[in-house]
Amino acid sequence: MSSLLSRQMAAHREDTSVGELLSAVTSDVQTLFRQELELARTEVKQEATKAGKAAGMYGGAGFAGYMVLLFLSLAAVLGLSNVMDGGWAALIVTAVWAVVGAVLYQKGRARMRTVEPKPEQTVETLKENAQWARHPIR
């Protein structure tokens, strides 16, 4: 039985033309490529979902931090109001937050000035690739 199967497979191989073999290989490569793309899409979707959940948690942590600062500021106003008028206590706490905000603004502005929106290295690489494509021997 096994020799009959071997002879049938050999006869089938002999009947198959090179064109048919190339067509089969091309079809298999296309199928493999589509499957790899689908796998990549699935992985990216899963990672994006995880990143979205993490971003939501960061947002929640930021809001919680804001609430902590708000209530600490309120506690500072109430604590200072024991030794001075409540209006002056609120003004002092507000002034402290104004200074903190101004310092953070200046630091952010200085850092933003160092940002280059144009990807210099990528542009240079693309220029080199274009030059090589025009003159590949050099």
Side-chain angles (χ1 to χ4, degrees), residues 51-64:
K53 289 178 182 178
M57 290 178 191
Y58 278 134
F63 180 72

Side-chain angles (χ1 to χ4, degrees), residues 8 25 34 39 43 64 66 72 80 85 89 96 98 109 112 116 122 126 133:
Q8 286 177 346
V25 168
R34 274 189 238 109
L39 177 62
E43 286 178 340
Y66 167 76
L72 279 175
L80 285 174
D85 185 44
V96 168
R109 185 175 179 203
M112 186 59 79
E116 282 292 329
T122 302
L126 287 174

Side-chain angles (χ1 to χ4, degrees), residues 19-41:
E20 290 172 333
L21 288 174
L22 283 175
S23 176
V25 168
T26 302
S27 175
D28 289 346
V29 168
Q30 288 174 345
T31 301
L32 180 63
F33 184 71
R34 274 189 238 109
Q35 289 172 343
E36 290 295 326
L37 275 177
E38 189 60 35
L39 177 62
R41 279 190 200 120

Side-chain angles (χ1 to χ4, degrees), residues 9 11 34 40 51 55 58 75 90 96-97 104 116 124-125 127 135:
M9 288 176 58
R34 274 189 238 109
Y58 278 134
V96 168
W97 278 115
L104 288 173
E116 282 292 329
E124 187 62 33
T125 303
K127 286 179 183 177
H135 309 286

